[in-house]
Amino acid sequence: MHILLIDDSSSTRSLLRTLINSGQTVRHEISEAASGEEALQKVGLGEINLPDLIIMDINMGGMSGYELCREFRKRHGTASDVVPYIIIVTANEGVDVINQALDCGANDYMPKPVNVKILQVRLRVAERLLAHAQSGAGSATSSGRITVNPNPPAPEPEPVPALDPLQSLIASSIEYADAPISILEVSGAQPSFQIVYANAAMSATTQFSSDELTGKSLAELEAWTPEFMTMVTGFIERGAIVSYVPLWSETRQAVPVHLSFYPIRAEGNQVNQYLVIHHF
């Protein structure tokens, strides 16, 4: 499939690109856009062919995912045009978010952080639906894509929610903080401490770009000692805060470094993501 990723976070696009083709024998063709406006422009000018599938964020600067989804349906919703399968991805939760996404014309929904197994299942479902359109909903073309019903019911317009200014403030504060900050994936009995987000200060400190840091293990990057990993894992198993602990590393640090771990996301009783702040 040709997949178009639309997200204003380059690290998120990089992570999705990695997850999409993870373990796949037949790799998907992937294009990217950093905003809804850029995506519409590139597709409109032919710089990007109309994709089979679009994965888009909801909360982006400029055009929101809701607006973008409606615009794609408006521009490519005639009987002669190919309509892409759209999956909306967002950190927002709740039935209202899902309903709004579907009402705007999305075919599916995934919460952030994206789970690789769930993503692969969603892609397989999309491939099957694109190849075998349901009776009455459309017909499969020779390319395996779906054309829309020529007489679809007109959807009721939905109000577009405004971007939460507090969330934007928090996000920008973390991104531009002086302290190196990262978000780690810590789920499982033996967490790998994989980086799913790194701010600008983290990039400057490690000399890696945020895209290069995404997917790396912070434990391996900083050469944590087995004792330090055991201590941190013990706190993680309890979902506890690990505050201002000295970094025990097999590599001598130029200056003393302390770390603080804060649980920020959990599934059930298991914490699966921690925010980590480096203090110098």
Side-chain angles (χ1 to χ4, degrees), residues 65-86:
Y66 297 122
E67 294 174 294
L68 178 58
C69 191
R70 288 196 193 94
E71 191 61 28
F72 261 109
R73 293 308 186 204
K74 179 180 177 181
R75 297 190 184 191
H76 307 289
T78 67
S80 60
D81 283 327
V82 178
V83 177
Y85 190 96
I86 298 177

Side-chain angles (χ1 to χ4, degrees), residues 28-236:
H28 299 288
E29 175 190 355
I30 299 176
S31 301
E32 296 184 17
S35 67
E37 293 84 352
E38 179 184 344
L40 291 171
Q41 181 182 34
K42 287 185 173 180
V43 172
L45 296 175
E47 296 179 28
I48 295 177
N49 292 328
L50 188 66
D52 299 291
L53 183 145
I54 296 174
I55 299 178
M56 66 170 71
D57 189 20
I58 286 182
N59 295 324
M60 297 183 287
M63 180 179 287
S64 72
Y66 297 122
E67 294 174 294
L68 178 58
C69 191
R70 288 196 193 94
E71 191 61 28
F72 261 109
R73 293 308 186 204
K74 179 180 177 181
R75 297 190 184 191
H76 307 289
T78 67
S80 60
D81 283 327
V82 178
V83 177
Y85 190 96
I86 298 177
I87 299 176
I88 280 187
V89 183
T90 178
N92 298 340
E93 297 180 351
V95 175
D96 290 343
V97 174
I98 300 174
N99 285 334
Q100 287 186 66
L102 297 178
D103 288 343
C104 290
N107 301 93
D108 209 340
Y109 160 89
M110 282 192 301
K112 285 184 177 179
V114 174
N115 180 289
V116 62
K117 293 182 179 179
I118 294 176
L119 174 62
Q120 295 293 352
V121 170
R122 293 288 205 276
L123 295 180
R124 285 165 55 193
V125 170
E127 283 183 303
R128 291 180 182 178
L129 291 175
L130 288 167
H132 306 286
Q134 294 180 352
S135 176
S139 60
T141 67
S142 59
S143 65
R145 297 171 178 172
I146 295 176
T147 56
V148 82
N149 189 319
N151 298 303
E156 290 293 327
E158 290 284 339
V160 179
L163 293 177
D164 187 334
L166 180 57
Q167 288 186 355
S168 298
L169 176 62
I170 293 171
S172 61
S173 298
I174 293 175
E175 176 62 25
Y176 299 111
D178 290 337
I181 298 175
S182 58
I183 295 177
L184 306 184
E185 194 76 49
V186 297
S187 56
Q190 295 182 325
S192 65
F193 304 101
Q194 186 180 62
I195 299 171
V196 297
Y197 166 80
N199 71 349
M202 188 76 183
S203 297
T205 301
T206 60
Q207 301 298 306
F208 288 107
S209 69
S210 59
D211 288 346
E212 291 171 328
L213 285 171
T214 299
K216 288 184 180 294
S217 167
L218 183 63
E220 294 178 3
L221 187 68
E222 298 180 338
W224 293 358
T225 64
E227 294 81 7
F228 187 79
M229 291 186 66
T230 299
M231 179 195 68
V232 173
T233 302
F235 277 91
I236 287 173

